[in-house]
């Protein structure tokens, strides 16, 4: 079994900063990708930032403000969010693509989400 544990959400004012972290644990043979999606009220879930084995990518709306980085030894990824705006408000979901064994298919895993609220 695989488990994702996320922390770091909360409420800040416009211009503030937050850092999210997400740790994958359990039966992990290979962690192929990890990142964050967010969902604002009444909107579809969208990719915020993520890394794969070929690099990192960001939503245009967060480029220059958010940075994703990881600690491979801990299977942990961090999302540093600076210069936060009210439109960054939403539930942030951590997602990981993992092979549980050398002959296992790749599956996606999600956490339960964490609230980020940016007030003006």
């Amino acid at each position: 079994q695989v488990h994702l544990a996320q922390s770091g959400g909360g409420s800040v004012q416009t211009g503030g900063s937050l850092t999210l972290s997400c740790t994958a644990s359990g039966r992990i043979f290979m962690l192929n990708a990890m990142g964050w999606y967010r969902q604002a009220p009444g909107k579809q879930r969208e990719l915020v930032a993520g890394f794969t084995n070929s690099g990192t990518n960001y939503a245009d709306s967060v480029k220059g403000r958010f940075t994703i980085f990881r600690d491979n030894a801990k299977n942990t990824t961090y999302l540093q969010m600076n210069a936060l705006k009210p439109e960054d408000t939403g539930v942030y979901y951590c997602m990981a693509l993992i092979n549980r064994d050398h002959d296992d298919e790749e599956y996606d895993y999600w956490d339960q989400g964490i609230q980020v609220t940016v007030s003006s």
Side-chain angles (χ1 to χ4, degrees):
Q1 195 60 284
V2 173
H3 177 65
L4 299 184
Q6 182 180 183
S7 64
S11 298
V12 295
Q13 292 187 327
T14 297
S17 298
L18 286 172
T19 301
L20 304 180
S21 67
C22 184
T23 299
S25 62
R27 188 180 172 188
I28 300 171
F29 174 73
M30 185 169 295
L31 177 61
N32 301 310
M34 204 168 199
W36 273 270
Y37 287 73
R38 70 185 176 194
Q39 188 164 20
K43 295 187 177 181
Q44 289 189 334
R45 192 174 296 189
E46 62 173 353
L47 175 68
V48 177
F51 76 82
T52 66
N53 291 330
S54 58
T56 58
N57 55 83
Y58 298 90
D60 288 342
S61 61
V62 306
K63 285 179 180 177
R65 300 187 297 121
F66 291 13
T67 303
I68 188 169
F69 55 101
R70 54 180 165 160
D71 183 335
N72 289 333
K74 297 180 179 179
N75 283 335
T76 298
T77 300
Y78 303 89
L79 183 67
Q80 174 68 46
M81 305 186 293
N82 297 327
L84 283 161
K85 304 176 181 180
E87 49 264 43
D88 294 317
T89 295
V91 178
Y92 283 65
Y93 297 91
C94 176
M95 186 281 291
L97 295 176
I98 291 171
N99 293 99
R100 295 172 300 175
D101 206 339
H102 69 282
D103 59 353
D104 190 30
E105 293 183 15
E106 181 183 83
Y107 291 96
D108 62 308
Y109 297 87
W110 297 79
D111 80 318
Q112 76 282 358
I114 198 166
Q115 180 69 41
V116 171
T117 302
V118 184
S119 58
S120 57

